[in-house]
Structure formats: C-alpha cells, structure tokens
Amino acid sequence: MNRLRGFLPMIGPPGRRAACLAGAILSGAGAIPLMPAQAAPAERSVQFDIPAQDLAAALDQLGRQAGVQILYPYGVAAGRRSTALRDRVPIRMALDRLLRRSGLEIVRITDRLVILRAAGAAPPARTITRPAPPRPAPAPSSTRPPIPPQADIVVTGRASQAPLDETELSYAITRIDGPALARKGPLSTADLFKQVPGFWVESTGGEASNNIRSRGIPTDGYTSVALLEDGLPVQYDGGLGYLNTDQIYRIDSTISRVEAVRGGPSAIFMPNAPGGSINFVTRTGLRDPGYTLSATAGSFGYERVDGFAGARIAPNLGVSLGGFYRQADGLRHSGYPADRGGQIRAGIDYDDGRARLSFNVKRLDDRVILYLPVPLQFDGSGNVRAVPGFDPLTDTLAGPDEVHVPFKTATGPRDFDLSQGTRSRITFYTMSGRLALDDRSAVDITARLRTGSTLRNGLFPIGRPMTGSDYLASVMPQLKAAFPGTAAATIRYADTGTPFLPDSNGNGLVVGANLLSVWMPMTEFIADARLTRRFDRWGHHDIALGLTYDSARLDFDRTMGTVLLDVLGQARRLDVAAVDRNGREIGALTDNGFVRYGSLFDAVSLRSSNLALYWADEWKLAPRWRIDLGGRWEKIRIGGGVEGSTPVNLGDAATLADDAVLTGDGVIEPIRRHFSGFNWTAGVNFRPAPSTGLFLRLTRIARLPSASEFNAYPNRTDEAVTPITMAEAGLTVRHRRWTLSAVAFGTHFARLPFTDYRFDTASNTYVERTSIADTSTIGLELAGHADLAGPLKLDVQATLQDPRYRNFSYIELAGGLPVTRDVTGNQLIRVPKLSLRVTPSLSLFAGRLRIDTEFVRYSDRFADIANTQRLPPYALINMDVNAKIADRLAIALHVTNLTNALGLTEGNPRAGSFDAGGMGTSYFLARPEFGRTVRATFSLSY
C-alpha cells in the first residue's frame, strides 16, 4: 500500500488513519509547501501491465511496477473504475492515462514520490496560509470490512450506496462499463440488452419499439423490465400500449455505464419490474470531467456524431453538455430517409461530501422507422426461403408510395406520412439531491418531469401474401353483391392505373396492410424519496425506507386505414375494380389503394396515479452471511374516458372503401379503476471465500394492470392483479484469470389475461378473444470470462430455459361449431429454450488493438400459442474491432450479421397470437434479423 503509509503510525488505528488521511488530502494537499505538478517529472519509461480494476488497486499496482511511492486520497479513488494499461511509457504518461476523468490530479511527481489530490482541491493561491475547510467524508463503519482490491461496486437494486462486492449480492447483475459500450457500439437500446443473460431481445423493429423478455416472462415490450436513468424510471409504466420505453430513450456519450439487475429485488425498488431493471448511469462534469467527440459512418447511409464535454468549474461544482445527432436511410431500403434526429443534455452538479445536488435537462427530437414483418415462404422441406423479387434481409414493404397519402375520415381528409415513423419530441427535467444527516443517515430525493408527444406511423402487414388471381376470387362475392352485373374484377396500380400482372413485381403476389397512425401526447411527473440508515444490532444493517409517486396524463388518438399492396420492396398501392361483360368498370372495391378507410378508431384520455411505499434491509449477520429483505406496497388509480365509435358512409357510391368508416360517436365512457398489491422478497448470501458467493432468493409479486389496457374497453372485467412467484439460486466465483456466474431460476405467473388480436381480412377489422391462464418457466443463466493463453480472452453467456403455458384453453369455431383447444404445456411464444453467445477476443500490441468475434445461436421458437407456426433456429456472427491509434484517438469497426444469415425473431401477430394458421401454406409474414451492416467510428477523448 502506498497511501501515505510512512505517516500512519502518527495517526492511530487503521480505520481512523484512513479517515484522517482522506480528510487531510481532500482538504487540499497544496496547503503544505509542495512543488507544482509540473516540477521534476519522472520521464523514466516502465513496462506496465495493469488490468482494468478499482482505481485504488490500479494506483497501488502502478506504484509497485514503477518503484515509486504514490500518496493519494483513498476515499476518492476507491470505487472508481480504471482503464487497462499495458504499455511501455513514462511514469507521468501512465499516471495521466489512469487519472483521466478520475477526479484526481497530480500535485507533485519525482522519481521516488507521487502525490495526488482531489481535482480542484488546491487553494486558489500559494500565498494563502490557512488551509481550506476540509471536505466531510462519511465515517467508515467499524463493522464493515474493506472492499477487496478487485471489487466491482454495485449500486442498482440496493438499499444502500455503500460499496459492495458482486460476490456479496443475493441477486444477479450484469454491468456494462463505458469502454464496453464503446467496443460494442449497439445500434439500439434493445441491442445493448442482448449482452444480459436471461433476456430474450427482439431488436428487429429498428432503433425503437422493440421487445424484451426476461426469464420466460410471458409479456412483451417493457411491461416487466424497468428502464431507469440514474435510478429513476424513464417511464413509470414501460408497457403502455404503443409507447414502449425504448421509443423515448437513446444511448449516447452522456451515458457512463449500465447496470442490469436480473430479477432479484427489482420489483421492490421499481414499478413493473419483475423481470429486472436496467439502470443507465449518466456522466457528469464533477464525477467524469473530460471531453469526447466521435463520428460514425456506415451502411445504408448511416451518419452520426456524438459528443460530451464535462468540466469541474469549482472544487465542488461541475457542468456538462452532451448528446448526438444521427441520420440514416435505414437498415432496410425504404426509399426515404428513415432515421433522423438526436438529443442534447445539459447538466450541473454540486457535491461537497455532505450535500449533493444535480439538475439536468434532456431534449429528444428524433424519428425512426418501425420495421414490421416481411413476406417469406416455406419450401417443400419446411425451410424458410425468400419470396422471388423480395430480399428479406434488406427489403421492406414500406416505401415512397405510402408517404403523404390522402386519408379520408368522417371529419375530412388527413395526410398519412409513413416517413414520420416513430416521431418523439420529449423533454425531461431531472433533479436529484442527497443530504447526509449524520455519518449513518441520509436522505435521497429524485424527481423527473417529462413533457412532449410521440407520433407513431407504421405500415402493418396483415393476413398472408397470395396471388393476385386468388385475391380477386376471394373478393368476387363482395363485388357482385355491391355491383350487380359484375362479370370480372381487375387489379391495377393506384398511382398510374397500369394493370397488375403476374410478372409485374416478379412474383405476382399481393398482401394487405394497415396504415396506422397513433398520436400520444404525455405529461408525467415521477418522484422518489428515500431515507437510508446504518446501524449495528445483531450484525450490521443498511436499511432504506422509500416513497415513490407518479402522476401521468396520456391521450391516445388512433386512426387506421387498410390498403392492398403488391409484394415488392417499397410496395405500391393497388386498386381493385369490378367490370361488366363488356369490360367496362362499374364500381370499385378500393379507393386510391384503400380497401377500407377508418378500419380502426380510438380517442382516449387516460389519467393514472401511483403511490408506492417500500422498505429494504441489507443485513450482514456475520462476516460470511448476509440477508436481504424487502417489501413494497403499491396502489394505482386509473381514470379518464373513452369515446365510442360508429361506422359512417362517406357517400361515394363508386367504391366500397368508404362505406363503413369508423369515427367517434361523441359518447364518452368513463374509466374509474383502482388496484393495489404487495410485493416482498427475501434473499440470503453466503461467502465462503472473498472470491466466491452463493445466494438464494424468493420473491412474490403482485403485478398491477396497466392504464392503457383500458384503451378500447373501459369496462373490461378480465383485468386484475396478477400473482407472480420467482425463485433464484446463484453462484459467483472470481478468479485471477476467470470469473463465473451461474443462476438457476423459476418463474410462475398466475391468472394472467392473454388476448388474441387478429385482423380479419374479410371484414377488415380486428377481432379478439381473451383467455386467462398461467405460465411457468425454469431455467439456468450462465456468464463467464476467462483470460486464456497470451492475448486471447473468452466471454460466454448462455440461457437454458423451459417456458410453458399452464391451465390454458380457448374456444374457436371449427365448421361453425365451438371447439375447445387445450394448449397447456406448449412453449411460450417467441422465447427460445437456448440462447448462446460466445465471444473470443484477441488483444494485441499492449492492448492497443482488440478484435472481438461474437457467435450467437438461438434454438427454435413458435409464433403462436398453439405452437403451429415454428420459427427455425438460427445463428449469427458479429465482429467488433477496436484500435487505439494514439493516446486520445481511437477507431472502432462494427460488423453485424457477417454471413447474412436469415433468422426470424417473430411471426406476424396480426395473423393471430393464439393460432397463426400453421405451416401448411407456402407464404407467410415474419420479422427477420437485419442483413449485414458495417459501421466505423472515430473517437477523440481528453
């Protein structure tokens, strides 16, 4: 240890020595007559081999390898993560690398001695003889042992902010630090979560509107996994209909690290989080001063600029500014700019050791395309193949023909613009503060106000592709009934009138689609207040008592029209006309490609308020034993109103498209519902050695209904509190050259409503049915890292699970008669039994070049609950190359789906989630992985 060890005998016992020394150095080591930082630099070059680790341990290791004594404030260095240093450089340069954005600066450096202090702690001038007042530091607990040098400090999902090693946790966590974020360069928020074991992620929707599931939990979107920023939910209810949290969240250079809690205590501290919580920790000018600038270019016209600037403008005050701007044609050829926009964040932070206050404003103004299922076919052997003329890796049905389309409604024409995609204009105002009441108690308060709106325009394919002749045969009875004298029907392109022939698009196929527009303005206020206290009785306790309040107002305006398209990349609208025996047109099924205007209408105003009280106790019962207990009581009130709808005829006798346009009837049906429930969790950790941890945990959760579940049916009675039981048993082992985490889990949902939304192509409207059922899943999560021979490293993540429906039956018509189908024991839809990710990496030239090759494998899945439509297994290969060109300049190359593998993540939900119709038909719709993409990023940091 090099922390002023020669001075320790004059101060007293070790615990008091550390506290006194930290206070003395934090008060400003420059108060004693030291030479300036530039005096007598040590230019002697040394070969360093220091891994990324706790900064205090890294400084100790640097001192040993350089043969110098390093004196530094341990309280500032402990808990901060250092970068790896494997190079032959002068001692001064080595220190500069380790101390970058660390909060420490060099006071004096010689060939034998280095003195560091907290950045900005020096007095303003050398003539000042009275030292600055010391910065208070929390007194260490006499019962808390020091954190091991290799400890990973965890803060998410805990009652206390005191340092705690991962082997002491009674739950599983995945950490992704800043360097790892830069190495991976995820295309979307959901893409990042693929690194978390136990998570099944569908990121094929684009940069937003993706799905995530954890440990076999049977709900989509973000209904069971909470997205947090600095410990507070980005959106209290992440599963609001058509408003997933990832639609309003983007990763950029203002993010310092990510901590993902899998299961565990998430449901105690956070709402709607039985599957886990993912916390994005932001950079600040006080904690992470420095500057970064990066530029990215890649496939499909991808261009992006990220930047961050953080500065400490006073010893206890920092400011920061950062964000990104991106434009791209999209990961599929849509024929128009698909993604364009960005966000900016400005913040100010104060921390004097006793009081901490932070405020930041973030503005998101971004639009991204929503990718939906594409046409595919089964060959004679049941294998998935491309439809002729349509590339499932790079094509999409969306195209310029759906941009600025006249859309008839009962209140007048509207402009449907598919190029708007998911357009989010959101402003977040976040304030957080912490006040230490004494050396054992503190109060934390965090609040966030969110204002703005999201517009979501999408093209949703329906039914199945079929030949033009088959489609005409299916609508002939309808045309003959509407237009007597109909002898035949024709198809033509709506824009040019050119006939649609079997060879017009290379396959002769047509498909239906819904042009859907949803506008959702939302205002939300979230506040969390927490009292934490430490005390010693029958061991050591860190307790937390908290209160969370949320108030949200959301409007939901939805309009939809159904069109007919040809099956082609950038599909075009088709018209169908009825002709008499002389070939003369006597009427039309469609109008400007629309089979039905107003095939869906919703006008909803929602209000919700949530109040939650929670408590947690981290109880260190003995040196090797810890017990974690927690409880949460929560209540939700849902109010508002839903306007009823009625079909109207707009009066155009030449077409059937406007005969039943749904519009508001002016009758508002009120929503008045409230639900409450209690969650509890108990976990125990046994640590037989500092490098090994074992844990058990049992959690019981009462999942409350979401406000948006009453959008269309304000009086529905099937919604109720869902009981969830989760059990976990884990092992964590940390070795000098390898680490291993293994978690066995079981999850049981009881009395969960499952609703089948199926679009009926005969009536051009949605029909639905609901069944109440249970689910159960058992599984195993594995995550490991190994330093192999020489520069070779290996990371492995695997999830093996058996997700099943229980007590599940539903009724359907067969031959006009009701038949009960029992699907108990079937596999949960879209969730694979096996997810495997193996990443060997090669580190060369003292760590200046790193090559990661990622091999991913998913087992087969099913698109429907009846398990009739199988989604085949598939494998992907991705690659990341990161090179350090100079001390401050780096380049990264990211390649996804290197081999252009065709892998399906989901089928077509609009064909029916209960029974999608099996695999007996040749053509179907599904959403595949994107084709190969390449991106290069140049980064400058200081």
mmCIF file of all heavy atoms in Angstrom, residues 60 65-66 80 182 184 194 231 248 255 261 388 461 543 605 610 709 715 734 740 792 841 855 938:
data_model
loop_
_atom_site.group_PDB
_atom_site.id
_atom_site.type_symbol
_atom_site.label_atom_id
_atom_site.label_comp_id
_atom_site.label_asym_id
_atom_site.label_seq_id
_atom_site.Cartn_x
_atom_site.Cartn_y
_atom_site.Cartn_z
ATOM 1 N N ASP A 60 -1.988 1.430 -6.667
ATOM 2 C CA ASP A 60 -1.047 0.635 -5.883
ATOM 3 C C ASP A 60 -0.165 -0.210 -6.794
ATOM 4 O O ASP A 60 1.049 -0.319 -6.597
ATOM 5 C CB ASP A 60 -1.794 -0.254 -4.905
ATOM 6 C CG ASP A 60 -2.444 0.534 -3.778
ATOM 7 O OD1 ASP A 60 -2.089 1.707 -3.590
ATOM 8 O OD2 ASP A 60 -3.323 -0.036 -3.108
ATOM 9 N N GLN A 65 5.041 -1.404 -9.750
ATOM 10 C CA GLN A 65 5.742 -1.678 -11.000
ATOM 11 C C GLN A 65 6.723 -0.568 -11.363
ATOM 12 O O GLN A 65 7.741 -0.816 -12.011
ATOM 13 C CB GLN A 65 4.720 -1.877 -12.128
ATOM 14 C CG GLN A 65 3.860 -3.113 -11.950
ATOM 15 C CD GLN A 65 2.867 -3.316 -13.069
ATOM 16 O OE1 GLN A 65 2.955 -2.669 -14.130
ATOM 17 N NE2 GLN A 65 1.909 -4.222 -12.862
ATOM 18 N N ALA A 66 6.440 0.668 -10.937
ATOM 19 C CA ALA A 66 7.333 1.783 -11.249
ATOM 20 C C ALA A 66 8.379 2.012 -10.166
ATOM 21 O O ALA A 66 9.331 2.784 -10.373
ATOM 22 C CB ALA A 66 6.516 3.054 -11.457
ATOM 23 N N ARG A 80 -13.921 3.811 -8.013
ATOM 24 C CA ARG A 80 -13.851 4.250 -9.408
ATOM 25 C C ARG A 80 -13.157 3.182 -10.245
ATOM 26 O O ARG A 80 -12.259 2.497 -9.766
ATOM 27 C CB ARG A 80 -13.103 5.578 -9.531
ATOM 28 C CG ARG A 80 -13.839 6.729 -8.844
ATOM 29 C CD ARG A 80 -13.112 8.040 -9.094
ATOM 30 N NE ARG A 80 -13.751 9.139 -8.405
ATOM 31 C CZ ARG A 80 -14.756 9.847 -8.904
ATOM 32 N NH1 ARG A 80 -15.217 9.542 -10.091
ATOM 33 N NH2 ARG A 80 -15.303 10.824 -8.222
ATOM 34 N N ALA A 182 -18.453 1.389 -25.741
ATOM 35 C CA ALA A 182 -17.770 1.866 -26.943
ATOM 36 C C ALA A 182 -17.354 0.700 -27.834
ATOM 37 O O ALA A 182 -17.431 0.786 -29.068
ATOM 38 C CB ALA A 182 -16.554 2.695 -26.543
ATOM 39 N N LYS A 184 -18.806 -2.255 -28.183
ATOM 40 C CA LYS A 184 -19.925 -2.917 -28.827
ATOM 41 C C LYS A 184 -20.653 -2.010 -29.808
ATOM 42 O O LYS A 184 -21.171 -2.468 -30.818
ATOM 43 C CB LYS A 184 -20.911 -3.428 -27.771
ATOM 44 C CG LYS A 184 -20.348 -4.551 -26.912
ATOM 45 C CD LYS A 184 -20.031 -5.778 -27.742
ATOM 46 C CE LYS A 184 -19.503 -6.910 -26.907
ATOM 47 N NZ LYS A 184 -19.145 -8.098 -27.710
ATOM 48 N N LYS A 194 -28.850 -7.486 -25.341
ATOM 49 C CA LYS A 194 -28.502 -8.839 -25.745
ATOM 50 C C LYS A 194 -27.300 -9.375 -24.970
ATOM 51 O O LYS A 194 -27.055 -10.581 -24.959
ATOM 52 C CB LYS A 194 -28.214 -8.883 -27.250
ATOM 53 C CG LYS A 194 -29.434 -8.629 -28.111
ATOM 54 C CD LYS A 194 -29.084 -8.667 -29.587
ATOM 55 C CE LYS A 194 -30.318 -8.424 -30.452
ATOM 56 N NZ LYS A 194 -29.993 -8.432 -31.896
ATOM 57 N N GLY A 231 -31.252 5.755 -11.595
ATOM 58 C CA GLY A 231 -32.058 5.157 -10.545
ATOM 59 C C GLY A 231 -33.535 5.467 -10.566
ATOM 60 O O GLY A 231 -34.284 4.941 -9.747
ATOM 61 N N ILE A 248 -38.625 6.333 -26.389
ATOM 62 C CA ILE A 248 -38.244 7.678 -25.951
ATOM 63 C C ILE A 248 -36.871 7.687 -25.284
ATOM 64 O O ILE A 248 -36.531 8.650 -24.595
ATOM 65 C CB ILE A 248 -39.297 8.262 -24.986
ATOM 66 C CG1 ILE A 248 -39.448 7.376 -23.751
ATOM 67 C CG2 ILE A 248 -40.626 8.439 -25.692
ATOM 68 C CD1 ILE A 248 -40.283 7.998 -22.657
ATOM 69 N N ILE A 255 -23.826 8.682 -21.380
ATOM 70 C CA ILE A 255 -24.010 7.517 -20.510
ATOM 71 C C ILE A 255 -22.640 7.002 -20.070
ATOM 72 O O ILE A 255 -21.767 6.725 -20.898
ATOM 73 C CB ILE A 255 -24.793 6.407 -21.220
ATOM 74 C CG1 ILE A 255 -26.163 6.931 -21.652
ATOM 75 C CG2 ILE A 255 -24.943 5.197 -20.322
ATOM 76 C CD1 ILE A 255 -27.017 7.429 -20.518
ATOM 77 N N VAL A 261 -30.037 -5.421 -13.425
ATOM 78 C CA VAL A 261 -30.407 -6.371 -12.383
ATOM 79 C C VAL A 261 -31.385 -7.371 -12.975
ATOM 80 O O VAL A 261 -32.399 -6.993 -13.562
ATOM 81 C CB VAL A 261 -31.041 -5.652 -11.176
ATOM 82 C CG1 VAL A 261 -31.557 -6.662 -10.156
ATOM 83 C CG2 VAL A 261 -30.034 -4.716 -10.532
ATOM 84 N N PRO A 388 -39.496 -14.658 -54.351
ATOM 85 C CA PRO A 388 -38.819 -14.069 -55.517
ATOM 86 C C PRO A 388 -39.117 -12.576 -55.644
ATOM 87 O O PRO A 388 -40.262 -12.134 -55.517
ATOM 88 C CB PRO A 388 -39.411 -14.851 -56.698
ATOM 89 C CG PRO A 388 -39.816 -16.167 -56.106
ATOM 90 C CD PRO A 388 -40.269 -15.867 -54.713
ATOM 91 N N PRO A 461 -48.369 -5.170 -42.032
ATOM 92 C CA PRO A 461 -48.928 -6.178 -42.953
ATOM 93 C C PRO A 461 -49.928 -7.068 -42.234
ATOM 94 O O PRO A 461 -49.819 -7.339 -41.039
ATOM 95 C CB PRO A 461 -47.695 -6.971 -43.389
ATOM 96 C CG PRO A 461 -46.524 -6.094 -43.083
ATOM 97 C CD PRO A 461 -46.921 -5.306 -41.875
ATOM 98 N N ILE A 543 -30.513 -0.011 5.987
ATOM 99 C CA ILE A 543 -31.947 -0.032 5.718
ATOM 100 C C ILE A 543 -32.342 1.153 4.849
ATOM 101 O O ILE A 543 -31.651 2.189 4.825
ATOM 102 C CB ILE A 543 -32.786 -0.025 7.015
ATOM 103 C CG1 ILE A 543 -32.559 1.272 7.796
ATOM 104 C CG2 ILE A 543 -32.481 -1.244 7.863
ATOM 105 C CD1 ILE A 543 -33.542 1.450 8.946
ATOM 106 N N SER A 605 -58.580 9.403 -23.377
ATOM 107 C CA SER A 605 -57.862 10.294 -22.461
ATOM 108 C C SER A 605 -57.657 9.529 -21.163
ATOM 109 O O SER A 605 -58.634 9.136 -20.513
ATOM 110 C CB SER A 605 -58.653 11.578 -22.212
ATOM 111 O OG SER A 605 -57.957 12.422 -21.324
ATOM 112 N N ASN A 610 -49.893 6.680 -9.234
ATOM 113 C CA ASN A 610 -49.344 5.550 -8.492
ATOM 114 C C ASN A 610 -48.698 6.047 -7.214
ATOM 115 O O ASN A 610 -47.985 7.064 -7.216
ATOM 116 C CB ASN A 610 -48.289 4.815 -9.317
ATOM 117 C CG ASN A 610 -48.866 4.123 -10.532
ATOM 118 O OD1 ASN A 610 -49.216 4.783 -11.507
ATOM 119 N ND2 ASN A 610 -48.958 2.811 -10.487
ATOM 120 N N GLU A 709 -54.394 -0.693 -20.827
ATOM 121 C CA GLU A 709 -55.180 -1.894 -21.088
ATOM 122 C C GLU A 709 -56.678 -1.603 -21.158
ATOM 123 O O GLU A 709 -57.465 -2.462 -21.540
ATOM 124 C CB GLU A 709 -54.870 -2.946 -20.021
ATOM 125 C CG GLU A 709 -53.454 -3.494 -20.156
ATOM 126 C CD GLU A 709 -53.028 -4.338 -18.970
ATOM 127 O OE1 GLU A 709 -53.828 -4.449 -18.009
ATOM 128 O OE2 GLU A 709 -51.917 -4.880 -18.993
ATOM 129 N N ASN A 715 -64.718 -0.780 -19.553
ATOM 130 C CA ASN A 715 -65.436 -1.559 -18.541
ATOM 131 C C ASN A 715 -64.994 -3.016 -18.500
ATOM 132 O O ASN A 715 -65.701 -3.859 -17.938
ATOM 133 C CB ASN A 715 -66.943 -1.501 -18.817
ATOM 134 C CG ASN A 715 -67.489 -0.095 -18.668
ATOM 135 O OD1 ASN A 715 -67.127 0.602 -17.737
ATOM 136 N ND2 ASN A 715 -68.354 0.309 -19.594
ATOM 137 N N ARG A 734 -14.920 -15.539 -8.559
ATOM 138 C CA ARG A 734 -13.971 -14.612 -9.190
ATOM 139 C C ARG A 734 -12.564 -15.152 -8.972
ATOM 140 O O ARG A 734 -12.120 -15.338 -7.837
ATOM 141 C CB ARG A 734 -14.087 -13.227 -8.577
ATOM 142 C CG ARG A 734 -15.463 -12.626 -8.646
ATOM 143 C CD ARG A 734 -15.599 -11.433 -7.725
ATOM 144 N NE ARG A 734 -14.630 -10.398 -8.055
ATOM 145 C CZ ARG A 734 -14.881 -9.399 -8.904
ATOM 146 N NH1 ARG A 734 -16.051 -9.296 -9.460
ATOM 147 N NH2 ARG A 734 -13.957 -8.495 -9.170
ATOM 148 N N LEU A 740 -17.019 -16.547 -13.097
ATOM 149 C CA LEU A 740 -18.165 -17.355 -13.483
ATOM 150 C C LEU A 740 -19.371 -16.951 -12.647
ATOM 151 O O LEU A 740 -19.273 -16.784 -11.435
ATOM 152 C CB LEU A 740 -17.881 -18.849 -13.261
ATOM 153 C CG LEU A 740 -19.072 -19.803 -13.479
ATOM 154 C CD1 LEU A 740 -19.496 -19.804 -14.941
ATOM 155 C CD2 LEU A 740 -18.725 -21.208 -13.011
ATOM 156 N N LEU A 792 -5.337 -13.947 -25.752
ATOM 157 C CA LEU A 792 -6.670 -14.459 -26.054
ATOM 158 C C LEU A 792 -7.558 -14.448 -24.814
ATOM 159 O O LEU A 792 -7.152 -14.902 -23.740
ATOM 160 C CB LEU A 792 -6.577 -15.879 -26.615
ATOM 161 C CG LEU A 792 -7.877 -16.507 -27.137
ATOM 162 C CD1 LEU A 792 -8.429 -15.700 -28.311
ATOM 163 C CD2 LEU A 792 -7.634 -17.956 -27.556
ATOM 164 N N SER A 841 -11.906 -13.005 -27.912
ATOM 165 C CA SER A 841 -11.306 -11.717 -28.261
ATOM 166 C C SER A 841 -9.800 -11.835 -28.211
ATOM 167 O O SER A 841 -9.233 -12.615 -27.440
ATOM 168 C CB SER A 841 -11.786 -10.612 -27.316
ATOM 169 O OG SER A 841 -11.442 -10.912 -25.985
ATOM 170 N N PHE A 855 -20.234 -15.078 -31.637
ATOM 171 C CA PHE A 855 -21.025 -16.154 -32.235
ATOM 172 C C PHE A 855 -22.308 -16.302 -31.414
ATOM 173 O O PHE A 855 -22.260 -16.533 -30.207
ATOM 174 C CB PHE A 855 -20.244 -17.465 -32.240
ATOM 175 C CG PHE A 855 -18.954 -17.395 -33.016
ATOM 176 C CD1 PHE A 855 -17.767 -17.051 -32.389
ATOM 177 C CD2 PHE A 855 -18.934 -17.669 -34.375
ATOM 178 C CE1 PHE A 855 -16.581 -16.979 -33.096
ATOM 179 C CE2 PHE A 855 -17.749 -17.596 -35.094
ATOM 180 C CZ PHE A 855 -16.556 -17.251 -34.455
ATOM 181 N N PHE A 938 -14.817 6.956 -35.359
ATOM 182 C CA PHE A 938 -13.576 7.618 -34.953
ATOM 183 C C PHE A 938 -13.877 8.426 -33.693
ATOM 184 O O PHE A 938 -14.818 9.223 -33.674
ATOM 185 C CB PHE A 938 -13.061 8.540 -36.059
ATOM 186 C CG PHE A 938 -12.624 7.815 -37.302
ATOM 187 C CD1 PHE A 938 -13.540 7.474 -38.293
ATOM 188 C CD2 PHE A 938 -11.296 7.465 -37.479
ATOM 189 C CE1 PHE A 938 -13.145 6.800 -39.425
ATOM 190 C CE2 PHE A 938 -10.888 6.788 -38.613
ATOM 191 C CZ PHE A 938 -11.812 6.456 -39.588
#
